Amino acid sequence: MPLDTSTYGLALLRVDGRRWNELRRIHGQIRTQAAADGSSYLEMGHTKVMCVVTGPSEPGPRRGGAAGGASGGAGSGGQSKDAEVVVNIVIAGFSSVDRKRRGRGDKRTLEMQFTLSNTLAATLHTHLFPHSQINISLHVLSQDGSLLAALINAATLACVDAGIPMTDYVTACTAGSTSTYAANDEGADPLLDLNHQEEQELPGLTVATLGESDKVVALVCESRVQISRLEGMLAVGVDGCKQVREILDQVIKAQGRKMILEGTVDKGTGLNDMDLD
Amino acid sequence: MTTTERPLVLPGDPISPDLIPSSTSKPLRLGPGLRHVPPSDIVPVVAGQLITNHQKNSMWVEYNSNRYIPAPGDLIIAQILRSGPDLYFTSISPYTPPATLPHLSFESATKKTRPQLAPGALVYARVVLANKHMDPEIECVSQSTGKSDGLGELKGGMVFDVSLQFARRLLMAKSKEEGKVEVLELLGGEGLAFEIAVGRNGKVWVGGEDVKAIVVVGRTLRETDEGGLGVEAQRKLVRRLAKGMK
Amino acid sequence: MPREAEPSLNEKQFVLQALHDSVRLDGRELEQYRPLELTFGDQYGVADVTLGKTRVLAKASAELTVPYADRPLDGIFNIATELSPMTSPAFEVNRPTETEVLISRLLEKTVRRSGALDTESLCLVAGQKCWSIRVDVHVLSHDGNLIDAACFAVVAALRHFRKPDTSMEGGVLTVYTPAEREPVPLSWLHSPFCVTWSFFGEEGDVAVLDATWMEEQVRSGSCTISLNKHGEICQIAKLGGVPVEAVSLLQCTNVALVKAKDMSSKLDRWLAEDARRRDKGGLLAELSAENDRVPDM
């Protein structure tokens, strides 16, 4: 391994100089694409994703049989009248260090599409749009760890921008632990928001929560870790999600403020009490 | 009992002439599983027990299959798939073409007062039309009297899947003697309160107030069916399950 | 593609109502598994697992091949999952459904990525020859909880499997037939097992283990946890669905550990029984020892 994280114990600083409970810089923008119903751009450190939402609209021809092929869908057809959330993820070839082409049928991408679609279906009020489809397409421009978390956050921002009713923000972040799986050392610190290098070397998990609650919508752990480590990692992750929620909230509010000042939207009655600095 | 002997037949087996009822007053009626090859041969086309009824001058093969083939007059439990302009599309068994249920085939239904059934609702219905190459049609009203006769939407309760043969046995007029099933009477004897509707398409609907009672009825039916239990074993099973409930 | 038959509204409501009253249709407790059965085939590496009415068959096989160029020191290990129309008319051949992709990903993460099989031991000549181990998972009948059954079958098949013995002498690689030398087991490091929780209701407050197909159709979320008996988590997958309190997820993990230990000891027992059955009268050990001492017999 070219670099390793074993120096953590000396200065309690991680490879990129953060402390254990620090997030990387999160920069978000909404309404980036004029043509889309909702769009967003999100950077979590060097992980950069774009999201475009179209819909709710009439389902396209890919519904039913063909939809199972390339896109994750939830709540489709049959007796249920809920809108279907169709997610499509494109990972750009230049997004990671080694240029690797992933085909459309890549199982990892399919799994992420399924996760996103089910995560969003749990919070979006899909029952308000019977027999329709919400298309979410995500483009990964650069990868530096916490990819799934960034995708979930970007999709949340774009859904807010598209004005799709939802219960609360779904925010996600990653958490890790400085212990390796074999060592059962009690002194291991949990870590917040892993970058690519940490993700490769340390056990970690991605957690997505609903709003400010402790309710976990998605939890994905792909590495071997002692069961005793889980509690600490989960606590740090859930706490990180709350921080992320604050940041996303700022992004949305800033955009709203801008739009009112620009006169793009009327300052409605309900907005009178909104604090325009 | 008019049926004395029940020989097992395989498709294509010759049937000995003394098994064929020979009443001269009525024409011979062939039921499911038998085929008439002119001029005078009768050949079974499925494997099962050959049953002859001398009074009605009829014979058929009693067999168990997994696929329900609709026949006119059968009582079935159907599931509403969607509503069309003047009829419901319903599913009698999975992966088969839908059966149609006209909106007006309910008791005292008119264009304005027809029952509103959501997709996924269940109805107890009778098969009216069942032709080859055509979607079957079902109804929830007796055409002659205009009464529902117990047919119609099934509210609440639970549906259990049983084999087609077991459903037929449950529906027999003398289910205890001919069908060798006594579970329903036994369950009632244990003090369980429930309603039941048996569909010939292998579905049994059980309704009632008590969730536990419904589960016990369902488990009894399933275990009796899957284990092929005799009357004595059925008694034991009912006693065991009813005891477990309390 | 024929759509999977959906349960009626009555059934959905009843199952949910019953689960809220802690009653399951088959009379089980909420955290109780259906009877788990395992039969080994006549050949090494065939495991047939039944879990209630769910039945999964896994077969392990080995083949000599060339290692991947970027990993010259590792052998090859693959898990192939097959959901055929035999399972349900809703599955089609050669068109992976979402379920199939998820199952194969979960098995991959649970067994392969967690390093259960030591792939380095499969390498015979660096960069030139290695074993390729392949497990084919066939789902024979589907009554819910495919993942747990499939994972158990894969682990059982791999632990039961014996690959032909080899030797290297003066740069010559010899592969022995079973008649010449008794085949050897794989170098197995730990046995992970999947435990799947299903959550019901709007709030996800009812958690159930080993859901049947009917229950799976009405559940509002699920969480698969893979663990080995040493208390190591190999993988957790709660891919969306109903939000669940973080604390209850931790509790679920602890119960899952108990179940995983239980499965682990069951598998150990069955493997030992099978070994006794194959080794009639302890003759096998004697024979192989004899062959070693008198090579040119």
Side-chain angles (χ1 to χ4, degrees):
Chain A
M1 278 173 211
L3 283 161
D4 72 341
T5 46
S6 58
T7 51
Y8 177 80
L10 302 174
L12 297 182
L13 288 175
R14 290 151 69 176
V15 275
D16 50 6
R18 284 181 292 153
R19 297 202 183 279
W20 64 272
N21 59 350
E22 277 178 315
L23 286 172
R24 289 175 291 175
R25 191 183 75 105
I26 297 182
H27 168 73
Q29 264 177 283
I30 58 168
R31 204 148 293 188
T32 51
Q33 245 71 10
D37 292 335
S39 53
S40 68
Y41 171 74
L42 185 85
E43 291 180 10
M44 285 175 86
H46 290 301
T47 303
K48 297 171 188 173
V49 276
M50 274 176 74
C51 179
V52 170
V53 174
T54 359
S57 56
E58 216 173 302
R62 292 205 303 131
R63 198 179 172 134
S71 53
S76 66
Q79 296 165 17
S80 77
K81 286 182 164 179
D82 298 359
E84 188 181 357
V85 183
V86 176
V87 179
N88 206 354
I89 299 175
V90 178
I91 299 182
F94 53 79
S95 63
S96 57
V97 182
D98 47 339
R99 194 186 170 94
K100 207 189 278 175
R101 246 198 98 66
R102 291 189 178 281
R104 281 167 65 84
D106 180 45
K107 282 185 182 166
R108 202 180 127 229
T109 318
L110 285 178
E111 191 189 38
M112 282 205 287
Q113 286 176 355
F114 176 82
T115 311
L116 259 138
S117 146
N118 271 324
T119 306
L120 293 169
T123 177
L124 298 176
H125 288 244
T126 47
H127 60 275
L128 297 174
F129 309 102
H131 308 301
S132 50
Q133 183 174 324
I134 301 168
N135 272 304
I136 300 177
S137 67
L138 290 140
H139 289 251
V140 180
L141 305 177
S142 162
Q143 296 185 63
D144 185 25
S146 306
L147 179 61
L148 181 61
L151 290 172
I152 293 176
N153 292 335
T156 306
L157 279 182
C159 285
V160 173
D161 184 32
I164 302 169
M166 53 167 80
T167 339
D168 208 333
Y169 292 88
V170 185
T171 52
C173 75
T174 50
S177 174
T178 52
S179 80
T180 54
Y181 70 87
N184 196 7
D185 47 348
E186 289 304 315
D189 267 343
L191 298 175
L192 182 62
D193 195 10
L194 306 181
N195 60 27
H196 179 69
Q197 204 186 333
E198 288 169 327
E199 225 167 46
Q200 292 292 307
E201 293 173 23
L202 300 172
L205 49 82
T206 303
V207 55
T209 61
L210 185 65
E212 281 174 321
S213 67
D214 282 346
K215 292 198 160 210
V216 177
V217 187
L219 176 66
V220 181
C221 169
E222 302 196 335
S223 43
R224 215 162 136 195
V225 62
Q226 276 290 330
I227 198 167
S228 50
R229 295 273 87 82
L230 182 68
E231 191 178 348
M233 280 161 59
L234 198 56
V236 168
V238 169
D239 192 54
C241 288
K242 286 177 192 164
Q243 293 180 40
V244 174
R245 185 191 179 276
E246 279 308 302
I247 295 168
L248 297 191
D249 201 40
Q250 295 295 326
V251 171
I252 303 276
K253 281 190 177 149
Q255 177 72 19
R257 212 173 284 140
K258 202 172 123 208
M259 282 161 68
I260 292 170
L261 292 175
E262 281 174 353
T264 335
V265 284
D266 286 336
K267 197 173 159 189
T269 42
L271 290 167
N272 273 332
D273 23 292
M274 194 170 141
D275 180 26
L276 298 177
D277 55 23
Chain B
M1 287 262 283
T2 45
T3 47
T4 48
E5 219 181 338
R6 294 181 158 191
L8 278 176
V9 287
L10 294 176
D13 273 359
I15 296 174
S16 70
D18 50 300
L19 281 170
I20 300 172
S22 51
S23 161
T24 44
S25 55
K26 288 178 198 163
L28 178 66
R29 287 170 68 96
L30 295 183
L34 291 174
R35 184 164 161 259
H36 175 224
V37 181
S40 62
D41 284 344
I42 294 170
V43 186
V45 290
V46 288
Q49 279 183 313
L50 182 72
I51 295 173
T52 43
N53 187 325
H54 289 280
Q55 277 173 1
K56 290 183 182 162
N57 204 25
S58 63
M59 56 195 291
W60 69 93
V61 180
E62 185 78 23
Y63 64 101
N64 199 6
S65 71
N66 284 323
R67 188 186 178 85
Y68 173 70
I69 298 160
D74 279 1
L75 293 173
I76 47 121
I77 292 175
Q79 182 180 342
I80 307 284
L81 295 175
R82 58 183 192 278
S83 177
D86 53 1
L87 43 80
Y88 289 110
F89 291 95
T90 65
S91 152
I92 299 181
S93 48
Y95 312 110
T96 51
T100 57
L101 171 62
H103 284 163
L104 296 178
S105 290
F106 291 89
E107 186 180 308
S108 61
T110 61
K111 283 260 178 211
K112 282 175 186 157
T113 62
R114 60 178 181 84
Q116 297 288 333
L117 299 175
L122 291 173
V123 286
Y124 197 34
R126 186 187 303 116
V127 178
V128 192
L129 269 177
N131 295 331
K132 261 185 196 170
H133 318 302
M134 264 178 76
D135 288 352
E137 187 182 319
I138 57 175
E139 59 173 11
C140 289
V141 67
S142 165
Q143 293 295 357
S144 50
T145 60
K147 290 271 183 263
S148 68
D149 294 338
L151 302 182
E153 190 188 357
L154 297 169
K155 293 194 179 82
M158 178 67 193
V159 176
F160 298 94
D161 289 330
V162 294
S163 70
L164 297 187
Q165 192 188 31
F166 190 68
R168 282 200 298 270
R169 278 163 63 193
L170 282 172
L171 277 172
M172 280 176 188
K174 286 180 267 179
S175 63
K176 198 168 152 187
E177 291 82 24
E178 286 182 31
K180 303 268 184 280
V181 271
E182 214 188 335
V183 277
L184 296 180
E185 288 86 346
L186 291 169
L187 285 165
E190 292 285 341
L192 271 72
F194 59 91
E195 298 173 84
I196 195 159
V198 183
R200 250 173 204 267
N201 53 342
K203 290 187 186 301
V204 179
W205 173 85
V206 183
E209 292 294 312
D210 188 6
V211 170
K212 278 188 183 163
I214 297 179
V215 171
V216 165
V217 174
R219 283 182 66 194
T220 319
L221 291 174
R222 267 192 197 169
E223 285 182 33
T224 312
D225 179 24
E226 280 161 19
L229 302 182
V231 176
E232 193 49 43
Q234 289 173 23
R235 280 196 191 121
K236 265 187 203 155
L237 175 75
V238 169
R239 234 175 283 142
R240 179 166 61 85
L241 286 177
K243 201 187 260 176
M245 200 182 103
K246 278 158 200 162
Chain C
M1 179 165 65
R3 193 186 282 283
E4 193 74 54
E6 230 176 311
S8 63
L9 289 177
N10 304 46
E11 290 167 270
K12 287 181 179 173
Q13 277 163 7
F14 183 83
V15 172
L16 285 177
Q17 174 66 39
L19 284 171
H20 274 284
D21 300 351
S22 301
V23 176
R24 292 177 82 168
L25 285 185
D26 40 14
R28 276 184 290 157
E29 303 289 318
L30 293 187
E31 293 179 4
Q32 193 182 349
Y33 262 77
R34 286 170 286 179
L36 180 69
E37 300 287 341
L38 169 67
T39 12
F40 291 110
D42 289 335
Q43 269 179 302
Y44 280 120
V46 180
D48 183 348
V49 171
T50 54
L51 186 62
K53 281 186 195 163
T54 298
R55 185 166 167 212
V56 181
L57 182 99
K59 178 169 188 336
S61 49
E63 186 186 21
L64 268 185
T65 173
V66 183
Y68 292 128
D70 52 339
R71 296 185 151 272
L73 295 176
D74 278 351
I76 300 171
F77 173 37
N78 275 318
I79 303 175
T81 325
E82 177 102 30
L83 286 178
S84 61
M86 182 166 159
T87 319
S88 148
F91 296 120
E92 264 179 88
V93 189
N94 293 334
R95 193 193 267 172
T97 55
E98 213 157 66
T99 338
E100 185 169 347
V101 171
L102 289 180
I103 291 178
S104 71
R105 266 293 283 172
L106 270 168
L107 290 177
E108 173 119 357
K109 285 195 279 188
T110 306
V111 183
R112 211 164 80 116
R113 286 188 49 141
S114 74
L117 179 67
D118 179 16
T119 47
E120 279 179 31
S121 71
L122 297 176
C123 183
L124 300 169
V125 184
Q128 288 175 24
K129 277 278 173 270
C130 71
W131 284 111
S132 161
I133 305 288
R134 180 188 160 99
V135 189
D136 289 282
V137 182
H138 292 266
V139 177
L140 302 181
S141 100
H142 178 11
D143 189 28
N145 208 7
L146 283 185
I147 291 169
D148 296 10
C151 181
F152 193 82
V154 168
V155 172
L158 282 168
R159 283 187 59 183
H160 186 247
F161 183 64
R162 303 283 185 272
K163 67 177 193 303
D165 200 5
T166 51
S167 74
M168 274 288 282
E169 267 174 52
V172 181
L173 179 74
T174 325
V175 180
Y176 296 98
T177 61
E180 290 168 325
R181 277 198 195 176
E182 191 61 17
V184 291
L186 299 171
S187 149
W188 190 251
L189 299 178
H190 70 114
S191 304
F193 296 98
C194 287
V195 178
T196 303
W197 284 92
S198 299
F199 302 104
F200 293 86
E202 291 282 303
E203 299 290 315
D205 40 4
V206 182
V208 163
L209 273 179
D210 189 24
T212 61
W213 176 227
M214 172 62 85
E215 288 165 339
E216 275 187 7
Q217 282 174 306
V218 300
R219 75 182 173 191
S220 41
S222 73
C223 178
T224 304
I225 305 167
S226 312
L227 305 122
N228 58 23
K229 65 174 176 190
H230 311 296
E232 284 164 357
I233 295 171
C234 300
Q235 174 275 126
I236 300 179
K238 184 188 184 307
L239 309 177
V242 72
V244 177
E245 288 290 340
V247 184
S248 30
L249 273 181
L250 286 175
Q251 279 167 357
C252 287
T253 319
N254 288 332
V255 178
L257 177 60
V258 178
K259 297 289 170 192
K261 280 181 178 167
D262 187 37
M263 286 196 226
S264 182
S265 56
K266 263 185 192 161
L267 179 57
D268 287 345
R269 205 179 63 230
W270 280 324
L271 279 168
E273 267 172 27
D274 185 70
R276 259 202 308 281
R277 189 172 61 82
R278 281 168 197 277
D279 185 17
K280 283 207 180 81
L283 271 175
L284 213 62
E286 246 173 71
L287 274 178
S288 62
E290 235 170 43
N291 284 346
D292 271 354
R293 266 179 271 130
V294 197
D296 49 356
M297 195 171 94

